[in-house]
Amino acid sequence: PEAITVGELAKRMGEKGADLVKELFNLDMMVTVNQTIDQDTAELLVEQFGHNITRVSEADVDIAVEEDVDPAETLKPRPPVVTIMGHVDHGKTSLLDALRGTKVTKGEAGGITQHIGSYQVKTKGGDTVTFLDTPGHAAFTEMRQRGANVTDIVVLVVAADDGIMPQTIEAINHTKAAGVPMIVAINKIDKPEANPDNVRNRLLEHEVIVEKMSGDVQDVEVSATEGTGLDELLEKIALQAELLELKARPDRDAEATVIEAQLDKGRGPVATVLVTRGTLKRGDTFVVGTESGRVRAVVNDAGKQIKEAGPSMPVEVLGLGGVPSAGDVLTVVENEARAREVAQYRQEKATEKRTALAPTSFDTMFNQAN
Ligand code: GDP
Ligand code: MG
């Protein structure tokens, strides 16, 4: 997640710094050649100038596990994975909580305390939606850099009383760079000073044209604190998901991506993972990053131990040998010998890559292909 100066990026692209500054100005970013821009903005620029991007991803390290593409006939529909982004204080956490609240009231009475930040919700229409609690834009970018593009849909939260702010623009750039569809949630419409049409208008300047402005980006007015518009938001997510025709093979050894992980005092290393394909089961032997392990428990978003977790499910996994990093891929393998083998291979690869890396990892991000 390093930044790069505009001047350095221009040099690598073989373009004039001033031309990049001009393009950035069009993206509403006032920067000079000596200032730094974040990686997604840099990627967007590179693409806009018609250059190719070479992304160095950790996924390269995964070739020890055979490239096995699941045959089309084995694929089944899976829930969409949604990440909420937006400017600080525009209501991301409140919206995550409010959406989760709808589930608690519909499910167990008494309001169970939720266990993990990422969770699934059922819409009124019966669809399931997965919400990922990723700590900020940096995490989104870092995971993407590592080839772990797990988000299917971004919900961009914009406070109706505050409008488009710097991190709103950042989120738009991240989303565009990731090629992920966006739904705009115009939040805090309960406030007297709320001006949702102003938000819609200002979004035009960033080439986000919402439905009400005759565009194709879905928008919905919500109030996270009052609970207004939440069902509508869920419906729009389900609609968007339908268009994406998201599928994964459930009946195979699981692959999952680490969303977050920490060392728990009582339980040891614990990782929240998102299952990307297959079904993760208690007792499975796995490799995550360069560590091997055996699934001691699978815990769902309500804190309950479950036997197995299928595609798009966020679960906690216990039984890790160490604490993995966000974006690490957990791969189930047939036995412990194989797990050790893959872990060792990944370790070697990681070492190789570290020594091969230029002074900053960002240096390897781009090359001038044309
Ligand atoms: P985040 O930084 O984007 O996660 O924003 P938070 O969810 O922490 O919300 C920031 C502040 O805005 C808090 O004080 C919330 O109570 C408030 N807030 C969030 N959503 C709404 C809303 O829909 N209406 C009103 N009036 N306040 C809200
Ligand atoms: Mg927050």
Side-chain angles (χ1 to χ4, degrees), residues 106 121-129 231 234-235 238 242:
K106 273 181 199 155
V121 178
K122 261 215 163 29
T123 69
K124 280 201 172 132
D127 298 296
T128 302
V129 177
D231 283 329
L234 287 173
E235 269 164 40
E242 220 176 282

Side-chain angles (χ1 to χ4, degrees), residues 89-370:
D89 281 347
H90 279 199
K92 296 178 295 294
T93 304
S94 304
L95 194 58
L96 265 172
D97 287 349
L99 288 161
R100 180 185 316 191
T102 56
K103 181 189 176 184
V104 175
T105 43
K106 273 181 199 155
E108 278 108 314
I112 38 159
T113 42
Q114 292 289 327
H115 205 69
I116 48 182
S118 302
Y119 59 91
Q120 290 191 318
V121 178
K122 261 215 163 29
T123 69
K124 280 201 172 132
D127 298 296
T128 302
V129 177
T130 302
F131 287 95
L132 280 194
D133 189 13
T134 55
H137 300 175
F140 181 83
T141 310
E142 189 177 335
M143 292 205 8
R144 223 164 55 70
Q145 252 175 57
R146 305 193 56 203
N149 206 3
V150 291
T151 301
D152 300 309
I153 297 167
V154 165
V155 169
L156 177 71
V157 180
V158 188
D161 61 336
D162 203 23
I164 312 299
M165 298 301 277
Q167 284 167 279
T168 316
I169 300 169
E170 220 179 274
I172 292 170
N173 292 343
H174 287 317
T175 307
K176 281 187 181 165
V180 172
M182 180 195 295
I183 296 171
V184 179
I186 305 176
N187 191 30
K188 308 199 186 184
I189 51 144
D190 58 287
K191 287 195 153 188
E193 62 272 40
N195 190 348
D197 278 331
N198 179 51
V199 172
R200 294 185 179 97
N201 267 311
R202 301 300 308 277
L203 281 171
L204 290 175
E205 294 162 25
H206 304 278
E207 284 159 51
V208 177
I209 311 165
V210 299
E211 281 177 326
K212 213 180 159 196
M213 309 295 287
S214 309
D216 53 12
V217 176
Q218 300 194 86
D219 64 304
V220 52
E221 294 182 12
V222 299
S223 165
T225 49
E226 310 265 296
T228 321
L230 301 184
D231 283 329
E232 200 186 334
L233 174 59
L234 287 173
E235 269 164 40
K236 299 210 166 190
I237 292 169
L239 192 71
Q240 182 68 64
E242 220 176 282
L243 296 173
L244 293 172
E245 293 185 48
L246 304 165
K247 285 177 180 164
R249 177 178 184 172
D251 64 334
R252 52 159 290 151
D253 283 344
E255 238 171 64
T257 302
V258 175
I259 307 303
E260 57 179 331
Q262 70 275 323
L263 191 62
D264 187 288
K265 258 191 193 145
R267 301 184 296 165
V270 180
T272 300
V273 305
L274 177 83
V275 178
T276 48
R277 60 174 174 173
T279 299
L280 185 66
K281 302 185 177 93
R282 196 188 304 160
D284 277 348
T285 305
F286 64 83
V287 184
V288 60
T290 53
E291 303 268 4
S292 53
R294 190 186 172 87
V295 180
R296 209 171 72 226
V298 180
V299 181
N300 72 7
D301 56 5
K304 273 210 193 88
Q305 283 212 23
I306 52 174
K307 280 204 186 113
E308 52 180 48
S312 293
M313 251 186 105
V315 287
E316 271 187 344
V317 175
L318 276 66
L320 300 99
V323 180
S325 316
D328 277 347
V329 175
L330 182 153
T331 309
V332 170
V333 292
E334 56 265 35
N335 55 44
E336 272 172 50
R338 176 73 177 144
R340 274 195 301 274
E341 189 186 7
V342 175
Q344 198 194 337
Y345 179 87
R346 285 182 177 182
Q347 246 154 35
E348 282 163 15
K349 271 287 180 189
T351 313
E352 256 172 50
K353 226 175 67 178
R354 261 197 303 279
T355 42
L357 277 187
T360 71
S361 60
F362 203 82
D363 285 346
T364 59
M365 287 294 302
F366 305 103
N367 74 350
Q368 291 150 237
N370 42 349

